[in-house]
Amino acid sequence: MTTISISERTEQPSAVVRERVRMDELPAFFSRAFHDTMAALTTQGRHPAGPPFGKYYGMPTDTVDVEAGFPASQPIEPSGSVVPGVLPGGRIVEAIHVGSYDTLQEAYADVQRYFRDHDLTPGEAMWESYLSDPGAEPDPARWRTQISWPVADDPHAPTSTR
């Protein structure tokens, strides 16, 4: 069972790389995006303001429109493929998934059921914050991922970042 709650968040600037990626190329994309965004933050004298994340626009098919990077304490300047981004504010449905990334679909099903059961409309974009470092925690059964999905009918949610 997935632990699900609703929180109120403020908009968070981020440093990201955004691309349309084939599903089987996601691990390589994330590795490159996290490396590049960390380098851009360091070059600009900044540090991540939270764990790495992957933000998904729409439901994946064979490919997915995705951005990956880090939250930042303030907006960054573009640097190569790294651009400023934002994690939306407003009401956010959040779920903590414990386990391998291969089983995240189960948590997403729980979150979608939560939206239906509470008569809420999910936003078009959602993100995953990777709370565990697979390099430091080799057991996938112990990995923790936070799924954050804005509520689309939230009057405080900016329409450009849903």
Side-chain angles (χ1 to χ4, degrees):
M1 185 68 181
T2 307
T3 304
I4 300 174
S5 62
I6 294 183
S7 67
E8 188 74 29
R9 286 194 173 199
T10 58
E11 191 172 88
Q12 173 77 53
S14 61
V16 300
V17 174
R18 183 173 177 179
E19 295 179 10
R20 178 158 288 282
V21 179
R22 284 185 11 189
M23 294 301 288
D24 62 344
E25 295 175 351
L26 274 176
F29 167 75
F30 280 125
S31 179
R32 178 173 44 83
F34 294 153
H35 175 271
D36 292 353
T37 54
M38 183 61 78
L41 286 168
T42 300
T43 299
Q44 295 180 32
R46 308 230 175 96
H47 302 283
F53 69 88
K55 184 176 176 185
Y56 300 89
Y57 293 87
M59 295 307 290
T61 57
D62 293 341
T63 63
V64 63
D65 182 2
V66 61
E67 65 183 36
F70 291 90
S73 56
Q74 58 190 18
I76 63 143
E77 295 297 321
S79 175
S81 63
V82 179
V83 296
V86 70
L87 295 175
R91 284 193 314 159
I92 311 287
V93 173
E94 296 180 325
I96 299 293
H97 170 73
V98 179
S100 167
Y101 301 140
D102 294 337
T103 60
L104 272 168
Q105 282 309 111
E106 298 166 16
Y108 274 102
D110 290 341
V111 170
Q112 289 172 321
R113 189 170 24 263
Y114 184 93
F115 271 99
R116 282 191 308 275
D117 291 351
H118 292 85
D119 199 28
L120 299 170
T121 303
E124 294 176 14
M126 75 290 291
W127 69 95
E128 300 167 356
S129 298
Y130 306 107
L131 307 178
S132 300
D133 177 356
E137 175 52 70
D139 182 2
R142 297 172 54 107
W143 293 350
R144 296 178 65 240
T145 305
Q146 180 174 326
I147 297 169
S148 300
W149 202 331
V151 177
D153 54 0
D154 185 345
H156 305 296
T159 56
S160 63
T161 58
R162 283 196 218 157

